[in-house]
Amino acid sequence: MKLQRKEISNEIIGKHSKINTKDKDDVKKYLSELIDLLNKYEYESDSDFLFCGRKKFVYDEINGILDGTIDSISNPIYFVLGSLEEFISSNNYINPSDDLYNNLKYSELINKNNNYSIRGIICLEEAETIRKIIKNILDHLDTFIL
């Protein structure tokens, strides 16, 4: 069974705002439930998945907050969990600055991204990226929650 973006969106949107992001156990439980949800599905590789545009921006922003290169966020874990929800729930948006990503012109990127988005399924590459984000959050919890 493949994971539909709409299905997981309905499951997780706003969920981070209902947990105590200052309690390490609550955050771990939330992330564990998310991993369990991801693990219920099978994933296939999709050459139309593009790791650029808005997805790459959100990914970099999460990692910047976690590694301390972005430090102006008042509640970093809350922000990061909300960004994770956005990464999972939202389709990607390609920017003109992504031109020549993987040696593809902007118009080709738009076409590939549209093809991927229309299917509405989270592919193997995206699922692996989500798992990387979750692992990185778990690895940095002690930095933000004592």
Side-chain angles (χ1 to χ4, degrees), residues 5 9 18 31 43 105 112 131 133 137 139:
R5 186 171 317 283
S9 296
K18 296 175 182 160
L31 293 173
Y43 302 93
K105 294 179 184 172
K112 285 177 77 67
R131 286 186 177 100
I133 294 170
I137 294 169
D139 289 348

Side-chain angles (χ1 to χ4, degrees), residues 10 57 59 105 124:
N10 291 338
F57 175 83
Y59 178 86
K105 294 179 184 172
L124 177 63

Side-chain angles (χ1 to χ4, degrees), residues 8-141:
I8 195 167
S9 296
N10 291 338
E11 190 81 25
I12 68 166
I13 285 294
K15 200 167 186 180
H16 77 286
S17 63
K18 296 175 182 160
I19 65 168
N20 180 358
T21 57
K22 303 213 184 278
D23 183 307
K24 205 180 308 186
D25 289 335
D26 279 1
V27 174
K28 285 180 180 179
K29 181 181 176 200
Y30 167 77
L31 293 173
S32 177
E33 289 171 359
L34 188 52
I35 290 168
D36 289 345
L37 179 62
L38 290 171
N39 288 340
K40 290 180 182 178
Y41 296 89
E42 295 178 12
Y43 302 93
E44 293 179 4
S45 183
D46 190 330
S47 63
D48 285 333
F49 174 71
L50 300 172
F51 190 53
C52 60
R54 181 70 184 164
K55 293 270 185 196
K56 181 75 165 89
F57 175 83
V58 171
Y59 178 86
D60 289 344
E61 187 174 49
I62 289 170
N63 288 327
I65 291 167
L66 294 173
D67 71 17
T69 56
I70 300 173
D71 64 358
S72 60
I73 307 299
S74 63
N75 187 342
I77 293 300
Y78 181 84
F79 186 89
V80 163
L81 294 178
S83 295
L84 173 61
E85 286 180 11
E86 176 190 344
F87 187 96
I88 295 169
S89 300
S90 299
N91 286 324
N92 198 12
Y93 296 97
I94 304 302
N95 301 313
S97 62
D98 293 317
D99 195 30
L100 298 182
Y101 169 82
N102 283 353
N103 295 317
L104 297 171
K105 294 179 184 172
Y106 180 65
S107 60
E108 293 170 311
L109 293 172
I110 293 291
N111 287 337
K112 285 177 77 67
N113 187 63
N114 287 345
N115 289 337
Y116 181 70
S117 296
I118 287 168
R119 285 191 280 282
I121 295 171
I122 293 180
C123 70
L124 177 63
E125 294 81 3
E126 189 170 6
E128 288 174 350
T129 305
I130 294 165
R131 286 186 177 100
K132 279 186 206 174
I133 294 170
I134 292 170
K135 182 184 180 322
N136 200 15
I137 294 169
L138 289 168
D139 289 348
H140 286 86
L141 268 184

